[in-house]
């Protein structure tokens, strides 16, 4: 073989090696690529599904007119889930017979069981009940529309339903419309006829009613207990607007923001759309005070008393007559603040030991016609603590005491010949430190027959000596057996409450033991003072409440001049609520639809207020400057938004990890 031939063969070998190496590299790269592709769906790699399911077809076609059939089918590009359609899907006009709504595979079927109305626009509002089967991405606010007539009504109204008492969003309440025909019976439609158009609120209290024809409407909300779509039960929560609503629409512009990443905007697009108005209605929902009076129950939980519990109170107490015992001076009556609960204490211990009491009660009860009349009933009251059981407990206690005394005698200790009599045991609520506007109090376990006020002493320490100081002692109104000790407390001073034995004697002749407790009043510099100046409510009685982070009232004060001052405020973060006290009774009152009376208006200061020791905090607040649905601070909202499983943001993070660009689009809705 010559040299030329040798070099030619060597060159060919080298070329084959290069080709084989290139093939190996391509094969390795393809293998790596396929491996990466195979790992796309794994938790540690690949893209998450952030897309909601897409509608690929409907039957009949969406926005169809002249529809005759009662069955609708909606097709999707992937497997879907339909969350609780009986509660989340709303058909308008409302259906008397519940539609059959099913989600299966890649489709949803809706069968309307009511006869379709002529020349009517129908909407099926799925809200966010539709999501994909894998990641749970919600489709969000989807509404299917069709018409049995030749045209489709396209107007909309939207807004919020809030609890009247605390502005919490009301989820799941129906919101409906009635066409106002300027007739004499328009005001009674809510009581007699189902809604003409209807929607349901989401977890923000937000509603959108679609498919509305031009006209003037009344707007109501109803927590419909019996599915008749109108107010038929006094226990149903409701809301109504005094003003009529005229739906309209106009062209408008919204912004679509294209984000390069979480910090940088790629582009902002101006997108024209149809703006439906009004879109910010606010209804405040309330439950009317129950006016049907009936006896809820009678009970004898303890042997020494029995209770009559009514649905609500009445100014005249029931007349109780004994049937199997002598009732002369035998009963002592305690009443709750609202007079709906009456507790009858048995003065005579022989009656306490009687397991069954029979009484006749003459009381005011609402009859079948809704009229309050006096009627008589016979009741049997059986003690849940039978006499034999109570006697056995006393005997067991005596035997235990006797054995203890015998052990004491054997050990040479003092032996008591008689068991100590049962004593009255008041509950003393006297903390070691009190605020200057706070008062200690005492709760008695049983009604008192006698109070020896001369046996109650209050001393104040001045320098190193103790001096008597004045105080008031009395029962708190509406709180039976609760007694307050009211003093002119000096901030920073020390006090001693001393009560002699037998100061209190109950109706069973039990007496209290000696009591002594020292306490101190906190200094002024441990507190803050908060002053709120309310504007926009001239010459109106208002009650202003200071709230903690749990939306509970810490302090409250009434004012008619617009200035509310809170003294001795402990350092903390607070929130402010107020209500307009229309009847000047110091209490928040619910509404009454029969008199077209709204619940008393409630407002929240939209921010939080920091109070620190030695601080004087002043704020000015116009409660009408901000819409009600934006007032209540999110920190104290009791009903938080429900969290759904979404993957938004995970792909953006994965893109950053891979060093590639990720673009997402958000729409700024009006």
């Amino acid at each position: 073989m010559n040299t030329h031939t040798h070099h030619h063969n060597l060159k060919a070998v080298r070329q084959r090696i290069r080709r084989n190496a290139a093939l190996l590299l391509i094969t390795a790269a393809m293998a790596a690529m396929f491996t990466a592709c195979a790992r796309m769906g794994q938790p540690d790699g690949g893209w998450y599904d952030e897309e909601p399911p897409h509608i690929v077809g409907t039957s009949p076609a969406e926005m169809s007119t002249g529809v005759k059939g009662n069955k609708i089918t909606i097709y999707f590009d992937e497997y879907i889930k339909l969350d609780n359609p009986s509660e989340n899907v709303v058909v308008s006009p409302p259906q008397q017979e519940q539609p059959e709504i099913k989600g299966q595979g890649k489709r949803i079927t809706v069968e309307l069981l009511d006869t379709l109305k002529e020349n009517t626009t129908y909407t099926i509002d799925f809200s966010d009940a539709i999501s994909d089967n894998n990641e749970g991405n919600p489709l969000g606010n989807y509404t299917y529309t069709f018409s049995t007539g030749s045209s489709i009504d396209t107007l909309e109204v939207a807004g919020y339903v809030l609890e009247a008492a605390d502005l919490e969003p009301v989820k799941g309440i129906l919101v409906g419309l009635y066409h106002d025909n300027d007739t004499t019976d328009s005001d009674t439609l809510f009581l007699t006829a189902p809604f003409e158009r209807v929607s349901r609120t989401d977890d923000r209290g937000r509603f959108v009613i679609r498919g509305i024809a031009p006209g003037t409407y009344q707007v109501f909300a109803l927590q419909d207990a019996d599915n008749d779509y109108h107010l038929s039960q006094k226990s149903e929560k409701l809301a109504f607007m005094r003003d009529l609503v005229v739906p309209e629409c106009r062209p408008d512009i919204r912004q679509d923001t294209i984000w390069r990443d979480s910090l940088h905007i790629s582009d902002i697009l101006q997108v024209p759309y149809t703006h439906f108005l009004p879109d910010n209605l606010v209804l405040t929902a309330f439950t009317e005070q129950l006016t049907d009076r009936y006896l809820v129950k009678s009970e004898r939980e303890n042997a020494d008393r029995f209770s009559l519990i009514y649905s609500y109170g009445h100014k005249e107490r029931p007349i109780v007559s004994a049937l199997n015992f002598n009732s002369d001076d035998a009963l002592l009556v305690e009443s709750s603040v609202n007079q709906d609960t009456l507790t009858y204490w048995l003065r005579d211990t022989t009656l306490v030991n009687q397991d069954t009491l029979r009484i006749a009660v003459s009381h005011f009860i609402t009859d079948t016609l809704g009229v309050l009349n006096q009627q008589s009933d016979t009741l049997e009251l059986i003690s849940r603590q039978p006499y034999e059981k109570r006697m056995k407990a006393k005997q067991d206690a005596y035997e235990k005491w006797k054995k203890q005394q015998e052990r004491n005698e054997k050990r040479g200790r003092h032996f008591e010949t008689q068991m100590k009599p049962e004593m009255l045991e008041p509950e003393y609520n006297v903390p070691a430190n009190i605020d200057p506007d706070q008062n200690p109090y005492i709760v008695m376990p049983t009604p008192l027959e006698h109070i020896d006020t001369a046996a109650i002493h209050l001393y104040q320490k001045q320098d190193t000596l103790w001096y008597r100081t004045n105080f008031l002692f009395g029962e708190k109104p509406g709180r039976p057996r609760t007694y307050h000790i009211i003093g002119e407390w000096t901030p920073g001073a020390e006090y001693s409450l001393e009560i002699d034995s037998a100061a209190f004697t109950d109706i069973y002749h039990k007496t209290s033991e000696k009591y002594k407790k020292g306490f101190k009043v906190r200094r002024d510099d441990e507190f803050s003072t908060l002053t709120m100046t309310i504007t926009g409510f001239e010459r109106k009685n208002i009650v202003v409440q200071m709230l903690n982070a749990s939306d509970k009232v810490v302090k409250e004060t009434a004012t008619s001049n617009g200035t509310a001052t809170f003294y001795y405020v402990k350092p903390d973060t607070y929130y402010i609520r107020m209500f307009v006290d229309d009847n000047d009774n110091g209490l928040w009152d619910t509404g009454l639809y029969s008199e077209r009376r709204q619940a008393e208006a409630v407002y929240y200061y939209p921010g939080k207020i920091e109070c620190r020791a030695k601080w004087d905090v002043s704020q000015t607040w116009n409660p009408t400057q901000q819409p009600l649905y934006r007032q209540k601070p999110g920190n104290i909202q009791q009903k938080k938004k429900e969290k759904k499983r979404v993957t938004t943001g995970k792909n953006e993070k994965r893109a950053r990890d891979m060093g590639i660009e990720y673009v997402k689009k958000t729409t700024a809705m009006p």
Side-chain angles (χ1 to χ4, degrees):
M1 181 181 296
N2 59 29
T3 306
H4 176 75
T5 303
H6 173 75
H7 284 294
H8 176 78
N9 292 339
L10 183 60
K11 183 177 180 181
V13 171
R14 287 174 177 171
Q15 287 176 345
R16 285 198 298 272
I17 291 173
R18 290 193 188 100
R19 284 198 299 270
N20 290 339
L23 286 172
L24 286 172
L25 288 172
I26 293 172
T27 303
M30 291 179 67
M33 181 178 67
F34 283 126
T35 301
C37 290
R39 295 171 62 185
M40 288 287 282
Q42 299 298 322
D44 58 345
W47 303 108
Y48 290 94
D49 178 13
E50 290 186 348
E51 290 293 321
H54 295 281
I55 297 170
V56 296
T58 62
S59 177
E62 197 165 347
M63 306 298 286
S64 291
T65 57
V67 174
K68 303 299 181 185
N70 287 43
K71 188 171 182 179
I72 298 99
T73 306
I74 305 169
Y75 301 94
F76 297 88
D77 63 346
E78 61 178 313
Y79 290 99
I80 56 93
K81 292 185 295 185
L82 185 60
D83 180 29
N84 198 2
S86 62
E87 291 188 9
N88 294 329
V89 181
V90 179
V91 178
S92 186
Q95 305 293 289
Q96 295 299 316
E97 191 168 355
Q98 189 75 16
E100 291 184 357
I101 306 173
K102 299 177 182 178
Q104 185 175 11
K106 297 182 179 181
R107 68 181 180 180
I108 292 174
T109 59
V110 179
E111 186 172 358
L112 304 179
L113 303 181
D114 286 4
T115 301
L116 295 182
K117 299 178 181 180
E118 294 182 356
N119 299 316
T120 301
T121 297
Y122 280 79
T123 59
I124 305 174
D125 185 358
F126 291 90
S127 185
D128 57 358
I130 303 172
S131 60
D132 64 26
N133 194 54
N134 293 324
E135 296 290 352
N137 298 307
L139 177 58
N141 299 323
Y142 171 61
T143 300
Y144 173 88
T145 304
F146 70 91
S147 175
T148 59
S150 59
S151 62
I152 288 182
D153 299 321
T154 58
L155 293 176
E156 302 177 3
V157 297
Y160 298 85
V161 181
L162 309 175
E163 292 281 2
D166 58 9
L167 302 190
E168 282 287 318
V170 182
K171 179 185 177 183
I173 193 170
L174 294 176
V175 186
L177 301 180
Y178 292 104
H179 212 119
D180 185 72
N181 298 316
D182 198 23
T183 59
T184 55
D185 62 347
S186 292
D187 288 343
T188 63
L189 284 173
F190 190 36
L191 303 173
T192 57
F195 292 136
E196 296 171 18
R197 307 298 305 177
V198 70
S199 179
R200 197 185 297 273
T201 57
D202 60 16
D203 57 349
R204 300 176 300 157
R206 176 79 176 172
F207 68 88
V208 181
I209 305 176
R210 299 180 171 90
I212 305 173
T216 303
Y217 293 89
Q218 301 178 67
V219 186
F220 297 88
L222 177 67
Q223 206 164 59
D224 194 14
D226 49 8
N227 297 317
D228 59 3
Y229 296 96
H230 67 87
L231 180 62
S232 57
Q233 298 185 26
K234 293 182 179 180
S235 60
E236 291 177 324
K237 183 177 294 183
L238 68 113
F240 65 95
M241 291 190 64
R242 288 195 179 97
D243 298 330
L244 298 176
V245 170
V246 180
E248 59 177 315
C249 63
R250 68 186 182 202
D252 209 335
I253 300 292
R254 71 177 178 223
Q255 291 184 345
D256 281 359
T257 304
I258 309 299
W259 291 84
R260 180 175 295 110
D261 52 42
S262 60
L263 298 176
H264 301 91
I265 295 175
S266 177
D267 197 3
I268 298 178
L269 306 178
Q270 303 294 319
V271 180
Y273 77 105
T274 301
H275 192 167
F276 295 99
L277 297 167
D279 61 354
N280 59 352
L281 301 176
V282 177
L283 292 90
T284 52
F286 59 89
T287 303
E288 296 181 344
Q289 183 179 4
L290 188 62
T291 55
D292 287 346
R293 189 172 196 258
Y294 56 90
L295 181 64
V296 177
K297 64 178 178 178
S298 58
E299 62 183 12
R300 192 180 172 194
E301 295 282 347
N302 301 89
D304 55 5
R305 79 203 82 155
F306 65 86
S307 297
L308 303 179
I309 302 171
Y310 293 87
S311 56
Y312 77 97
H314 192 272
K315 61 182 179 180
E316 293 189 26
R317 287 180 177 176
I319 300 173
V320 175
S321 303
L323 298 180
N324 66 340
F325 63 95
N326 184 358
S327 61
D328 293 341
D329 197 33
L331 303 175
L332 186 150
V333 188
E334 289 180 349
S335 175
S336 64
V337 175
N338 299 324
Q339 298 186 9
D340 55 0
T341 300
L342 299 160
T343 302
Y344 295 81
W345 289 83
L346 306 173
R347 288 180 174 273
D348 192 343
T349 54
T350 58
L351 293 181
V352 175
N353 295 333
Q354 187 171 325
D355 287 343
T356 302
L357 303 176
R358 287 192 297 275
I359 60 173
V361 182
S362 177
H363 45 187
F364 282 92
I365 300 294
T366 304
D367 61 20
T368 55
L369 299 177
V371 179
L372 197 64
N373 286 314
Q374 196 163 17
Q375 73 175 46
S376 296
D377 292 293
T378 300
L379 304 175
E380 188 172 73
L381 303 157
I382 301 174
S383 173
R384 294 195 179 184
Q385 299 175 334
Y387 175 75
E388 290 186 4
K389 186 176 181 179
R390 288 184 288 113
M391 290 302 101
K392 184 178 185 306
K394 285 187 176 181
Q395 183 62 34
D396 290 345
Y398 174 76
E399 294 295 336
K400 183 178 179 180
W401 170 83
K402 189 175 180 181
K403 289 180 180 179
Q404 181 62 45
Q405 297 307 309
E406 290 174 355
R407 286 194 293 269
N408 289 342
E409 185 179 21
K410 289 180 181 179
R411 296 171 183 172
R413 297 176 181 174
H414 177 66
F415 180 87
E416 296 179 3
T417 57
Q418 290 186 345
M419 188 175 178
K420 186 178 180 181
E422 188 176 358
M423 304 296 291
L424 177 67
E425 298 181 357
E427 178 188 339
Y428 293 96
N429 290 274
V430 185
N433 294 278
I434 68 169
D435 299 343
D437 59 350
Q438 185 180 356
N439 293 303
Y441 64 96
I442 307 170
V443 179
M444 299 296 170
T446 50
L448 296 182
E449 188 74 39
H450 175 70
I451 301 175
D452 183 5
T453 55
I456 305 173
H457 316 283
L458 183 66
Y459 300 94
Q460 180 181 353
K461 188 177 183 181
Q462 298 180 15
D463 296 328
T464 58
L465 301 177
W466 292 90
Y467 296 90
R468 285 184 179 274
T469 186
N470 295 328
F471 66 96
L472 297 176
F473 183 86
E475 191 170 15
K476 186 175 182 180
R479 294 283 300 274
R481 293 174 282 113
T482 300
Y483 297 85
H484 274 223
I485 299 164
I486 303 172
E488 296 182 0
W489 313 119
T490 302
E494 292 184 49
Y495 292 85
S496 177
L497 175 64
E498 301 179 14
I499 301 176
D500 300 336
S501 59
F504 308 116
T505 305
D506 75 355
I507 58 175
Y508 305 117
H509 309 296
K510 292 186 292 185
T511 59
S512 58
E513 296 185 285
K514 188 176 181 179
Y515 175 83
K516 181 178 180 180
K517 176 67 180 291
F519 60 94
K520 187 175 181 179
V521 180
R522 293 186 176 92
R523 302 187 311 274
D524 281 338
D525 59 9
E526 297 182 50
F527 301 95
S528 176
T529 299
L530 171 63
T531 300
M532 292 292 296
T533 301
I534 314 294
T535 61
F537 285 87
E538 295 180 4
R539 295 184 301 278
K540 283 191 175 182
N541 297 315
I542 58 176
V543 175
V544 186
Q545 299 171 322
M546 176 179 287
L547 312 171
N548 62 17
S550 299
D551 206 20
K552 302 298 182 184
V553 178
V554 176
K555 291 177 179 289
E556 74 173 27
T557 184
T559 178
S560 58
N561 62 11
T563 301
T565 302
F566 298 94
Y567 300 99
Y568 304 116
V569 178
K570 293 181 180 178
D572 207 340
T573 300
Y574 296 97
Y575 303 86
I576 299 295
R577 176 174 66 202
M578 59 158 279
F579 65 86
V580 181
D581 191 10
D582 291 325
N583 57 3
D584 197 23
N585 67 348
L587 304 172
W588 179 84
D589 293 294
T590 190
L592 183 62
Y593 181 68
S594 62
E595 297 179 3
R596 303 301 186 269
R597 188 178 75 236
Q598 298 278 10
E600 291 181 331
V602 172
Y603 303 89
Y604 274 79
Y605 182 75
K608 60 184 179 181
I609 297 176
E610 297 287 344
C611 291
R612 299 183 182 180
K614 302 180 183 180
W615 278 25
D616 288 336
V617 182
S618 297
Q619 297 285 346
T620 300
W621 173 33
N622 183 348
T624 62
Q625 279 188 334
Q626 201 163 21
L628 287 180
Y629 61 88
R630 291 181 178 172
Q631 287 193 7
K632 188 166 187 179
N635 292 349
I636 59 173
Q637 280 194 2
Q638 298 163 15
K639 300 170 186 173
K640 305 294 183 183
K641 282 187 181 181
E642 292 183 353
K643 294 182 179 179
K644 290 185 174 289
R645 188 190 172 200
V646 293
T647 55
T648 303
K650 291 184 178 180
N651 283 341
E652 181 182 342
K653 180 178 184 299
R654 179 147 292 171
R656 289 198 305 268
D657 294 342
M658 297 172 65
I660 63 177
E661 183 179 19
Y662 177 78
V663 177
K664 64 178 180 178
K665 180 177 74 173
T666 58
T667 301
M669 298 299 292

